[in-house]
Amino acid sequence: MIQITKDTRLVILTGAGISAESGLRTFRDSGGLWEDQRVEDVATPEGFARDPKLVWRFYKTRYKAAIDAQPNSGHAALVILEKFLGKNFCLITQNVDGLHTKAGSTGVLEMHGTLYECYCTKCLAMYRTAEIDLDPDLPVCSKCGSMLRPYIVWFGEIPYHLPEIEGKLRNCDLLMIIGTSGNVYPAAGFVMTAKYFGASTMAVNLDTVANSDYIDEFHQGKAGDILPKLVEQWC
Ligand code: OAD
Ligand code: ZN
């Protein structure tokens, strides 16, 4: 059983599974978002160019669900871990729902962007989603009148914070991946990088993960049950 101390440099990568117990849908599970929508239609630059109204509808619905959602005991356990480890703790998320920050985590690396921000497709001005008028089918930039888009990384685009993440992965003692299926790169490859540079790896998931060959210790079950128990044992 992997143990941690205050000196353990811990990197955590979370995915949609950690927010499932907050009532937000995952992508690839049964009942997941990709059952109703084709990825190509709502999560690629090409899909947005073809039908921006459809894409905006998809993200407006997800934004409204995220602002109504509350963090769960899994998110809360990671806040305790951050307080325990201080600068040795790093939280990376593929989630765009803002629930880690709402729970009290700080400095979260939101590698796939966030539903809470948008930007102009022409002049690149940034907006908080809360300050723009979401009523029109196509929200526009108040500075130049062009179409806004969600601050979300789509397939074919480069995730945010990759240089910082690479540095953390090379210099950690343990990487935990929580509630992520291990299907989407580059995040799915983080376990390989961490192992290559000498770290241990752990997964917390309801089900098996696609990158399980690189996982040293697997905890099967709900993040909201497992994380509080691990944290109680460690901190
Ligand atoms: P997925 O939907 O691919 O995987 C969710 C994972 O969470 C699955 O492995 C489930 O078994 C697990 N899970 C579900 N409920 C859980 C719970 N209560 N506790 C623990 N695990 C649970 O979601 P991601 O791996 O996050 O990207 O998907 C990665 C990326 O693919 C997303 O960021 C998104 C998507 O397309 C973009 O849109 C760019
Ligand atoms: Zn603009």
Side-chain angles (χ1 to χ4, degrees), residues 116-149:
Y116 286 76
E117 289 174 42
C118 308
Y119 65 97
C120 174
T121 52
K122 182 145 188 240
C123 76
L124 306 180
M126 294 285 305
Y127 293 88
R128 304 232 358 113
T129 310
E131 76 191 10
I132 64 171
D133 182 4
L134 284 177
D135 282 341
D137 290 343
L138 289 177
V140 290
C141 176
S142 58
K143 298 188 175 73
C144 79
S146 301
M147 197 162 50
L148 295 177
R149 62 164 275 181

Side-chain angles (χ1 to χ4, degrees), residues 91-184:
L91 177 54
I92 306 162
T93 189
Q94 298 165 88
N95 299 343
V96 294
D97 56 34
L99 288 186
H100 285 303
T101 304
K102 220 188 235 184
S105 292
T106 62
V108 185
L109 298 174
E110 294 178 304
M111 64 178 289
H112 288 168
T114 171
L115 290 164
Y116 286 76
E117 289 174 42
C118 308
Y119 65 97
C120 174
T121 52
K122 182 145 188 240
C123 76
L124 306 180
M126 294 285 305
Y127 293 88
R128 304 232 358 113
T129 310
E131 76 191 10
I132 64 171
D133 182 4
L134 284 177
D135 282 341
D137 290 343
L138 289 177
V140 290
C141 176
S142 58
K143 298 188 175 73
C144 79
S146 301
M147 197 162 50
L148 295 177
R149 62 164 275 181
Y151 187 70
I152 300 283
V153 176
W154 288 325
F155 287 91
E157 297 179 326
I158 299 171
Y160 299 113
H161 311 297
L162 286 183
E164 185 176 354
I165 289 171
E166 176 80 12
K168 296 286 183 188
L169 293 171
R170 285 177 181 230
N171 291 296
C172 72
D173 301 305
L174 173 63
L175 170 66
M176 284 175 78
I177 61 166
I178 302 166
T180 177
S181 61
N183 283 299
V184 176

Side-chain angles (χ1 to χ4, degrees), residues 22-45:
S22 295
L24 298 180
R25 295 167 72 187
T26 64
F27 297 95
R28 292 172 186 78
D29 296 314
S30 112
L33 288 162
W34 295 155
E35 266 182 7
D36 305 351
Q37 293 288 345
R38 289 180 354 129
V39 180
E40 301 84 335
D41 290 340
V42 296
T44 62

